[in-house]
Amino acid sequence: MQKKIIIEGGRRLEGSCRIKAAKNSVLPILACTVLCSGEVRLHNCPNISDIRDMLEILRSLGAKVSTHGIISGDITIDCRYVDKTAVTGDLTSAIRSSIFLLGPIVTRFGQGIVSSPGGCQIGSRPIDIHLDGLKALGVDIDDQNCLIRCSVKTGKLVGGDIRLKMPSVGATENLMMAAVLAVGRTVISNAAKEPEIVDLANFINAMGGNVQGAGTSEIVIDGVDGLVGGDFTPIPDRIVAGTYMIGCAMCGGCVRLEGANLGHLGALQTVLEKTGVGVFGDSNHIIVESNGNLISPGRIETEVYPGFATDLQAQLMAMLAVTKGESIIVENLFETRFRHAEELTKMGADIDVVNKSAIIKGVKRLVGAEVNAFDLRGGAAMVLAGLAANGTTVVSDVHYIERGYENIVGDLRGLGAEIK
C-alpha cells in the first residue's frame, strides 16, 4: 500500500524543532570519504533515503559503513577497503548525487565508471560541466550507452585551470574532490558559492587537504598525497529550515528552529520580511513570527547563491497562493520546476504559468484535496499547502519527500500541525 501524508489544515504552528545536517552537504562529503585513508565519523546526519542510498553505493564499492547511531545522526565510513571503480546499478539511477563519486574515484584510482545519474524529474541537468572540468585535469572520457568511462593515461590527475561555463554546485564540488590528490595546483573559476561548497572545503581541509577560496568565485586546490580520517559535523540543512520558516509564515504562529543558521537564508529572510513576517536569529537558531496575514513581496527570481534558492521556490509558491495581492516567481535554473502549480490549483490556488514565470494571485484560503508530489521540494510544498487549507489534504508519492526530509510529519506535528 502506498504511503501517503494526510493533513487537517487550519492550525497555527508553535514551538521548536531541531534541524539536522544538510542533505546537499552530507552527500558530497560521503563521496569524498573515498579519498580518506582512515575512518570518518559524521555527526547530526539525517536518516533520509538519499543518504541511505549513497551509503549502499559506498558499501558496494567495498567501504565499511556503520549506521548504528543513525537515529542520533552518527555515521561511520571507512573507505580504505574500497577496491571497485565502477558505480553502476539501480541505486545510481535513483540518486543523482552518485555522480559525486566520479571525481574521487578517478583521482584515487586513475580510472572509473559511473552510470548516468538519476534523481527528481525537474528538467535537464546536464553533467557536461563536470566532464569538461575532468578533461582539463587530464581525464579521458568515453560517454555512451548511459555509462561514463574515465581513465587517466599518466595514472595521476594533473592540476590545471578550469573555468565553469556556469556556477554549477555539483560540478564545483566534483572538481574540488578530483583536484584534492592531483599533482600541483588547480584553480576553479566561476565556481558556485553555496554554503555546502564551503562545508565540503572545510571537510577536505579537516582531513588534511588544501582548499582555499571556497565561498568565492575562485577556488584554489593544492594537491596532497592523501587525506586522513576524523570527525566532522556538516552544516544544518538550510532548505529544511526554510521549508518550516515558510510553513510558519503562511499558517501563523511562532516557531524556533534550533541549529539552523540564518546567515544561510538571507534571501528568504528578505522575502518573508516583505510579506510582514518577523524573522530573527543567528548562526545557531532561527525564530519566525507570523500573524498569517501576508502581503505580496512582488517579484521573486530564483538565482544561484546568495540569491533566492530554487530549492525553496515550490514552498514559496504555496505561501504566495494564500498571500494578499499578486506575486510573480521567475524560475531561472530549472525549466520544468513548476509542476506543483497544477497541484496547487486543485486546492483553489490562482496560478498562471507562462514560460519560466508563475503569476500567483493570492486567495483567502486553499481547500483540501488529493494531490501528488512530483519531486522532493514540490512535495514539501503540497504539505505546506495542506497545513494552510480548509479541510483534509492527502499527499501521494511521498517517497520523493523522504529523499530530503527525515521526519516532516513528526516535525510538523511537534509544531502543532494535525498531520499523519
Side-chain angles (χ1 to χ4, degrees), residues 30-40 58-59 61-65 76-83 101 108-109:
L30 286 174
C32 197
T33 62
V34 168
L35 302 178
C36 297
S37 61
E39 200 172 73
V40 174
L58 287 171
R59 283 192 180 101
L61 298 176
K64 306 295 183 183
V65 177
T76 302
I77 314 102
D78 191 339
C79 286
R80 284 175 290 184
Y81 306 98
V82 169
D83 57 0
L101 286 159
R108 174 174 168 179
F109 295 103

CSV table of all heavy atoms in Angstrom, one decimal, residues 30-40 58-59 61-65 76-83 101 108-109:
chain,number,residue,atom,x,y,z
A,30,LEU,N,30.1,12.4,1.8
A,30,LEU,CA,30.2,10.9,1.8
A,30,LEU,C,31.0,10.5,0.6
A,30,LEU,O,31.8,9.6,0.7
A,30,LEU,CB,28.8,10.3,1.7
A,30,LEU,CG,28.0,10.4,3.0
A,30,LEU,CD1,26.6,9.9,2.8
A,30,LEU,CD2,28.6,9.5,4.1
A,31,ALA,N,30.8,11.1,-0.5
A,31,ALA,CA,31.6,10.8,-1.7
A,31,ALA,C,33.1,11.0,-1.5
A,31,ALA,O,34.0,10.2,-1.9
A,31,ALA,CB,31.1,11.5,-2.9
A,32,CYS,N,33.4,12.1,-0.8
A,32,CYS,CA,34.8,12.5,-0.5
A,32,CYS,C,35.5,11.5,0.4
A,32,CYS,O,36.7,11.5,0.4
A,32,CYS,CB,34.8,13.9,0.0
A,32,CYS,SG,36.4,14.7,-0.1
A,33,THR,N,34.8,10.8,1.2
A,33,THR,CA,35.4,9.8,2.1
A,33,THR,C,36.2,8.8,1.4
A,33,THR,O,37.1,8.1,1.9
A,33,THR,CB,34.4,9.1,3.1
A,33,THR,OG1,33.4,8.4,2.3
A,33,THR,CG2,33.7,10.2,3.9
A,34,VAL,N,35.9,8.6,0.1
A,34,VAL,CA,36.7,7.7,-0.8
A,34,VAL,C,38.1,8.0,-0.8
A,34,VAL,O,39.0,7.2,-1.0
A,34,VAL,CB,36.1,7.6,-2.2
A,34,VAL,CG1,37.0,6.9,-3.2
A,34,VAL,CG2,34.7,7.0,-2.2
A,35,LEU,N,38.4,9.3,-0.6
A,35,LEU,CA,39.8,9.8,-0.6
A,35,LEU,C,40.5,9.6,0.8
A,35,LEU,O,41.7,9.9,0.9
A,35,LEU,CB,39.9,11.2,-1.0
A,35,LEU,CG,39.3,11.6,-2.4
A,35,LEU,CD1,39.3,13.1,-2.6
A,35,LEU,CD2,40.0,10.8,-3.5
A,36,CYS,N,39.8,9.2,1.8
A,36,CYS,CA,40.4,9.2,3.1
A,36,CYS,C,41.0,7.8,3.5
A,36,CYS,O,40.4,6.8,3.2
A,36,CYS,CB,39.3,9.5,4.2
A,36,CYS,SG,38.6,11.2,4.0
A,37,SER,N,42.1,7.9,4.1
A,37,SER,CA,42.8,6.6,4.5
A,37,SER,C,42.5,6.1,5.9
A,37,SER,O,43.0,5.1,6.3
A,37,SER,CB,44.3,6.9,4.4
A,37,SER,OG,44.7,7.9,5.3
A,38,GLY,N,41.6,6.8,6.5
A,38,GLY,CA,41.2,6.4,7.9
A,38,GLY,C,39.7,6.5,8.0
A,38,GLY,O,38.9,6.9,7.1
A,39,GLU,N,39.2,6.1,9.2
A,39,GLU,CA,37.8,6.1,9.5
A,39,GLU,C,37.2,7.6,9.6
A,39,GLU,O,37.8,8.4,10.3
A,39,GLU,CB,37.5,5.4,10.8
A,39,GLU,CG,36.1,4.9,11.0
A,39,GLU,CD,36.1,4.0,12.2
A,39,GLU,OE1,36.2,4.5,13.4
A,39,GLU,OE2,36.0,2.7,12.1
A,40,VAL,N,36.1,7.8,9.0
A,40,VAL,CA,35.5,9.1,9.1
A,40,VAL,C,34.2,9.0,9.8
A,40,VAL,O,33.4,8.1,9.6
A,40,VAL,CB,35.2,9.7,7.7
A,40,VAL,CG1,34.4,11.0,7.8
A,40,VAL,CG2,36.5,10.0,6.9
A,58,LEU,N,28.4,3.2,-1.5
A,58,LEU,CA,29.8,3.1,-0.9
A,58,LEU,C,30.1,1.6,-0.5
A,58,LEU,O,31.2,1.1,-0.7
A,58,LEU,CB,29.9,4.0,0.3
A,58,LEU,CG,30.0,5.5,-0.1
A,58,LEU,CD1,30.0,6.4,1.1
A,58,LEU,CD2,31.3,5.8,-0.9
A,59,ARG,N,29.0,1.0,0.1
A,59,ARG,CA,29.2,-0.4,0.5
A,59,ARG,C,29.5,-1.3,-0.7
A,59,ARG,O,30.4,-2.2,-0.6
A,59,ARG,CB,28.0,-0.9,1.2
A,59,ARG,CG,27.8,-0.5,2.7
A,59,ARG,CD,26.7,-1.3,3.4
A,59,ARG,NE,26.5,-0.9,4.8
A,59,ARG,CZ,25.5,-0.1,5.2
A,59,ARG,NH1,24.7,0.4,4.3
A,59,ARG,NH2,25.4,0.3,6.4
A,61,LEU,N,31.1,-0.6,-3.2
A,61,LEU,CA,32.4,-0.4,-3.7
A,61,LEU,C,33.5,-1.0,-2.8
A,61,LEU,O,34.7,-1.0,-3.1
A,61,LEU,CB,32.7,1.1,-3.8
A,61,LEU,CG,31.9,1.9,-4.8
A,61,LEU,CD1,32.2,3.4,-4.8
A,61,LEU,CD2,32.1,1.4,-6.3
A,62,GLY,N,33.0,-1.5,-1.6
A,62,GLY,CA,33.9,-2.1,-0.6
A,62,GLY,C,34.1,-1.4,0.7
A,62,GLY,O,34.8,-1.8,1.6
A,63,ALA,N,33.4,-0.2,0.8
A,63,ALA,CA,33.6,0.6,2.1
A,63,ALA,C,32.9,-0.1,3.2
A,63,ALA,O,31.9,-0.9,3.1
A,63,ALA,CB,33.0,1.9,1.9
A,64,LYS,N,33.5,0.1,4.4
A,64,LYS,CA,32.8,-0.4,5.6
A,64,LYS,C,32.0,0.7,6.2
A,64,LYS,O,32.5,1.8,6.5
A,64,LYS,CB,33.9,-0.8,6.7
A,64,LYS,CG,34.9,-1.9,6.1
A,64,LYS,CD,34.2,-3.2,5.8
A,64,LYS,CE,35.3,-4.2,5.4
A,64,LYS,NZ,34.6,-5.5,5.0
A,65,VAL,N,30.7,0.5,6.4
A,65,VAL,CA,29.8,1.6,6.8
A,65,VAL,C,29.0,1.1,8.0
A,65,VAL,O,28.5,0.0,8.0
A,65,VAL,CB,28.8,1.9,5.7
A,65,VAL,CG1,27.8,3.0,6.1
A,65,VAL,CG2,29.6,2.4,4.4
A,76,THR,N,29.5,6.2,10.4
A,76,THR,CA,31.0,5.9,10.4
A,76,THR,C,31.3,5.2,9.0
A,76,THR,O,30.6,4.3,8.7
A,76,THR,CB,31.4,5.0,11.5
A,76,THR,OG1,31.1,5.6,12.8
A,76,THR,CG2,32.9,4.7,11.5
A,77,ILE,N,32.3,5.8,8.3
A,77,ILE,CA,32.6,5.2,7.0
A,77,ILE,C,34.1,5.0,7.0
A,77,ILE,O,34.9,5.9,7.4
A,77,ILE,CB,32.3,6.2,5.9
A,77,ILE,CG1,30.9,6.8,6.0
A,77,ILE,CG2,32.4,5.5,4.5
A,77,ILE,CD1,30.8,8.1,6.6
A,78,ASP,N,34.5,3.8,6.5
A,78,ASP,CA,35.9,3.5,6.3
A,78,ASP,C,36.1,3.0,4.9
A,78,ASP,O,35.7,2.0,4.5
A,78,ASP,CB,36.4,2.4,7.3
A,78,ASP,CG,37.9,2.2,7.3
A,78,ASP,OD1,38.6,2.6,6.3
A,78,ASP,OD2,38.4,1.7,8.3
A,79,CYS,N,36.8,3.9,4.0
A,79,CYS,CA,36.9,3.6,2.6
A,79,CYS,C,38.3,3.0,2.3
A,79,CYS,O,38.6,3.0,1.1
A,79,CYS,CB,36.6,4.9,1.8
A,79,CYS,SG,34.9,5.3,1.7
A,80,ARG,N,39.0,2.6,3.3
A,80,ARG,CA,40.3,2.0,2.9
A,80,ARG,C,40.2,0.7,2.1
A,80,ARG,O,41.1,0.3,1.4
A,80,ARG,CB,41.1,1.7,4.2
A,80,ARG,CG,41.7,2.9,4.9
A,80,ARG,CD,42.3,2.6,6.2
A,80,ARG,NE,41.3,2.3,7.2
A,80,ARG,CZ,41.6,2.1,8.5
A,80,ARG,NH1,42.9,2.1,8.9
A,80,ARG,NH2,40.7,1.8,9.4
A,81,TYR,N,39.0,0.1,2.3
A,81,TYR,CA,38.8,-1.2,1.6
A,81,TYR,C,38.1,-1.1,0.3
A,81,TYR,O,37.8,-2.1,-0.3
A,81,TYR,CB,37.9,-2.1,2.6
A,81,TYR,CG,38.5,-2.2,4.0
A,81,TYR,CD1,38.0,-1.4,5.0
A,81,TYR,CD2,39.6,-3.1,4.2
A,81,TYR,CE1,38.6,-1.5,6.3
A,81,TYR,CE2,40.1,-3.2,5.5
A,81,TYR,CZ,39.6,-2.4,6.5
A,81,TYR,OH,40.2,-2.5,7.8
A,82,VAL,N,37.9,0.1,-0.2
A,82,VAL,CA,37.3,0.3,-1.5
A,82,VAL,C,38.2,-0.2,-2.5
A,82,VAL,O,39.4,0.2,-2.6
A,82,VAL,CB,36.9,1.8,-1.7
A,82,VAL,CG1,36.6,2.0,-3.2
A,82,VAL,CG2,35.8,2.3,-0.8
A,83,ASP,N,37.7,-1.1,-3.4
A,83,ASP,CA,38.6,-1.7,-4.4
A,83,ASP,C,37.8,-1.8,-5.8
A,83,ASP,O,38.4,-2.4,-6.7
A,83,ASP,CB,39.0,-3.1,-4.0
A,83,ASP,CG,37.9,-4.1,-3.7
A,83,ASP,OD1,36.7,-3.7,-3.8
A,83,ASP,OD2,38.1,-5.2,-3.3
A,101,LEU,N,30.7,10.7,-6.9
A,101,LEU,CA,31.8,9.7,-6.7
A,101,LEU,C,32.8,9.7,-7.9
A,101,LEU,O,33.9,9.1,-7.7
A,101,LEU,CB,31.1,8.3,-6.6
A,101,LEU,CG,30.5,8.1,-5.2
A,101,LEU,CD1,29.5,7.0,-5.3
A,101,LEU,CD2,31.5,7.8,-4.1
A,108,ARG,N,41.7,8.9,-7.2
A,108,ARG,CA,42.3,7.9,-6.3
A,108,ARG,C,42.8,6.7,-7.1
A,108,ARG,O,44.0,6.2,-6.9
A,108,ARG,CB,41.3,7.3,-5.3
A,108,ARG,CG,41.9,6.2,-4.5
A,108,ARG,CD,40.9,5.8,-3.3
A,108,ARG,NE,41.3,4.5,-2.8
A,108,ARG,CZ,40.7,3.9,-1.7
A,108,ARG,NH1,39.7,4.5,-1.2
A,108,ARG,NH2,41.1,2.7,-1.3
A,109,PHE,N,42.1,6.2,-8.1
A,109,PHE,CA,42.4,5.0,-8.8
A,109,PHE,C,42.9,5.3,-10.3
A,109,PHE,O,43.4,4.3,-10.9
A,109,PHE,CB,41.3,4.1,-8.9
A,109,PHE,CG,40.8,3.5,-7.5
A,109,PHE,CD1,39.7,4.1,-6.9
A,109,PHE,CD2,41.6,2.6,-6.9
A,109,PHE,CE1,39.3,3.6,-5.7
A,109,PHE,CE2,41.2,2.1,-5.7
A,109,PHE,CZ,40.0,2.6,-5.0
